[in-house]
Amino acid sequence: MKLIFLGPPGAGKGTIADLAVGALGLPHISTGDLFRAAVKNGTSLGLKVKDIMASGGLVPDELTIELVRERLGQADAAGGWILDGFPRTIPQAEALGKIAGVDKVVNFDVADEIVVGRLSGRRVCRSCGKIYHVANMPPKKEGACDIDGGELYTRDDDKEAAIKVRLDTYRAQTAPLIDWYGKKGSLMTIDGVGDPKAVLGRFMAAIGR
Ligand SMILES: [Zn+2]
């Protein structure tokens, strides 16, 4: 099963995808992870991505598509996958269509004010990257990671002004994909509000699993 997860930043796509990995046995492919892995592995694509990210720029479509193409060609992706964070634009969706077919596009619907609450409460461990939430998933000790005691901080893009920019970008660039895939008949919309396990349950029911 080849799935694309769509939804605004903070819709919980990554969390639901991680839960669905166990339930469906498909790899969770996130472009954020692909960028970080390419940089870490020092591949030629990774070196380009590193320069772009260091200068604060957006990774151009051709590079992103190339990374996705490589990843979808790996053995564990042969039986399907969950793509999260890609495609973000209609040109990316057109490029993906040349690489692979898609069975279902799952749109996680979450209102803006809920997104702002989710993202602005998010905290990340400076040493291991584990994500917490001040209300929904607090660490045992305030400000410190449960695993390694690392300092928890708010990422710049989880600050309120940045969240607004991310939502505006989503509305302008990514939300049009909802109509685009809708016309192709592969779209399903899931209520993304509530506990991740409840959202996963709605998603599993919608795909008949
Ligand atoms: Zn940690």
Side-chain angles (χ1 to χ4, degrees), residues 13 88 122 129 139 145 151-152 160-161 163 179 182 197 201:
K13 303 182 293 292
R88 260 182 220 280
R122 194 148 78 166
C145 178
E151 181 202 356
L152 304 186
E160 226 163 305
I163 295 169
D179 280 342
K197 289 207 176 81

Side-chain angles (χ1 to χ4, degrees), residues 84-97:
D84 153 29
F86 182 91
R88 260 182 220 280
T89 61
I90 288 175
Q92 287 186 354
E94 286 168 344
L96 176 65

Side-chain angles (χ1 to χ4, degrees), residues 1 21 40 65 87 120 143 153 162 206:
M1 197 179 323
V21 163
K40 197 174 160 206
I65 291 159
S120 60
Y153 73 105

Side-chain angles (χ1 to χ4, degrees), residues 108-166:
F108 292 94
D109 188 31
V110 179
D112 284 5
E113 58 271 22
I114 294 176
V115 163
V116 172
R118 283 183 180 177
L119 294 180
S120 60
R122 194 148 78 166
R123 301 291 180 270
V124 184
C125 172
R126 221 177 264 290
S127 30
C128 73
K130 184 174 160 62
I131 293 169
Y132 296 86
H133 191 282
V134 290
N136 306 333
M137 208 200 293
K140 293 194 183 95
K141 180 170 169 260
E142 197 187 324
C145 178
D146 291 348
I147 297 167
D148 51 26
E151 181 202 356
L152 304 186
Y153 73 105
T154 306
R155 297 192 324 193
D156 283 344
D157 59 354
D158 288 340
K159 289 174 182 161
E160 226 163 305
I163 295 169
K164 171 135 195 341
V165 172
R166 290 168 69 190

Side-chain angles (χ1 to χ4, degrees), residues 93-112:
E94 286 168 344
L96 176 65
K98 292 179 190 146
I99 301 172
V102 172
D103 296 313
K104 285 287 170 208
V105 177
V106 188
N107 172 37
F108 292 94
D109 188 31
V110 179
D112 284 5

